[in-house]
């Protein structure tokens, strides 16, 4: 769980795959996303929106450019997002 340094009401969470496809989210009657990925809340964690799919295992904010995110993918490659995690490019 990471808090956006520019917008403290925006929280980011990276969730791994959930093996039980028939399980339901504890706080709703909707099936849990079995794929995992990046989820974003704009209301201090009260509700969550899927932002990007599986493979992402960690995110960090650039301390000099807080709008920029770096992500670790499948524990082996690094990618960068400049739009809050909607799109990612390889970071060399």
């Amino acid at each position: 769980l990471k808090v956006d340094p520019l917008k403290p009401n925006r929280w980011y969470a990276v969730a791994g795959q959930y093996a039980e496809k028939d399980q339901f989210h504890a706080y709703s009657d909707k099936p849990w996303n079995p794929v995992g990925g990046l989820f974003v809340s704009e209301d201090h964690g009260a509700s969550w929106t899927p932002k990007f799919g599986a493979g992402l295992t960690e995110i960090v904010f650039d301390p000099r450019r807080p709008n920029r995110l770096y992500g670790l993918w499948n524990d082996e490659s690094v990618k960068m997002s400049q739009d809050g995690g909607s799109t990612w490019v390889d970071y060399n």
Side-chain angles (χ1 to χ4, degrees):
L1 182 65
K2 307 285 183 180
V3 177
D4 189 315
L6 297 177
K7 297 180 181 178
N9 61 308
R10 180 181 294 154
W11 295 3
Y12 291 85
V14 176
Q17 276 187 303
Y18 192 72
E20 303 294 328
K21 291 183 181 180
D22 295 330
Q23 295 294 318
F24 286 81
H25 186 278
Y27 302 108
S28 79
D29 59 354
K30 297 178 182 172
W32 185 249
N33 178 351
V35 178
L38 178 63
F39 298 83
V40 177
S41 172
E42 299 287 345
D43 53 14
H44 296 95
S47 62
W48 294 90
T49 302
K51 195 76 159 171
F52 207 86
L56 184 60
T57 54
E58 179 65 45
I59 61 167
V60 295
F61 291 95
D62 186 323
R64 290 173 285 165
R65 295 183 181 132
N67 289 323
R68 184 179 291 175
L69 291 170
Y70 296 98
L72 182 61
W73 293 80
N74 298 313
D75 293 329
E76 43 186 62
S77 66
V78 177
K79 294 186 181 185
M80 178 181 64
S81 174
Q82 297 192 76
D83 59 8
S86 294
T87 59
W88 296 84
V89 295
D90 288 329
Y91 181 75
N92 297 349

